[in-house]
Amino acid sequence: SALAADADAAQALAKKEGCLKCHALDKKKEASSLKDIGKKYAGKADAQAKLEKHLLSGEKIKLEDGSEEEHKIIKTKDKGELSNLVAWILSLK
């Protein structure tokens, strides 16, 4: 990301939206850690767009037990907040 992410704002949004119920910052919970997600997408040109789509689409995710469920859709309608959250996740690598 060309601009540095506002980590405090991103963490506040992640908490407000419930992301931290399943994702921890640096260890696996019910889902991959945010750092692991950042590493997975590091250096990929379409990383920002892919993660934003994932947070807005409710696409299926595979759980540890092999079952699938729809990923929770982020409620914020503020594109800047969403972009900042994704930029922050990508900065965690």
Side-chain angles (χ1 to χ4, degrees):
S1 178
L3 299 172
D6 180 340
D8 291 338
Q11 287 179 56
L13 182 63
K15 186 174 184 178
K16 178 179 141 192
E17 294 284 350
C19 304
L20 303 178
K21 289 179 183 169
C22 297
H23 299 279
L25 182 62
D26 56 3
K27 64 182 182 232
K28 187 171 180 64
K29 278 175 100 173
E30 290 179 40
S32 299
S33 74
L34 296 176
K35 277 190 175 181
D36 284 345
I37 294 167
K39 286 178 193 171
K40 177 181 176 180
Y41 288 94
K44 294 184 178 170
D46 61 348
Q48 183 84 23
K50 275 192 171 182
L51 287 176
E52 286 183 20
K53 179 179 182 265
H54 180 70
L55 293 173
L56 294 171
S57 69
E59 60 193 19
K60 296 273 186 190
I61 52 170
K62 192 170 283 267
L63 304 175
E64 270 196 354
D65 65 6
S67 65
E68 289 186 345
E69 69 179 39
E70 290 180 354
H71 189 275
K72 184 176 180 252
I73 296 174
I74 201 164
K75 291 183 187 93
T76 186
K77 300 297 180 225
D78 184 321
K79 296 228 181 262
E81 282 185 338
L82 177 63
S83 292
N84 183 63
L85 175 61
V86 170
W88 174 66
I89 292 169
L90 293 171
S91 76
L92 295 174
K93 62 190 182 300

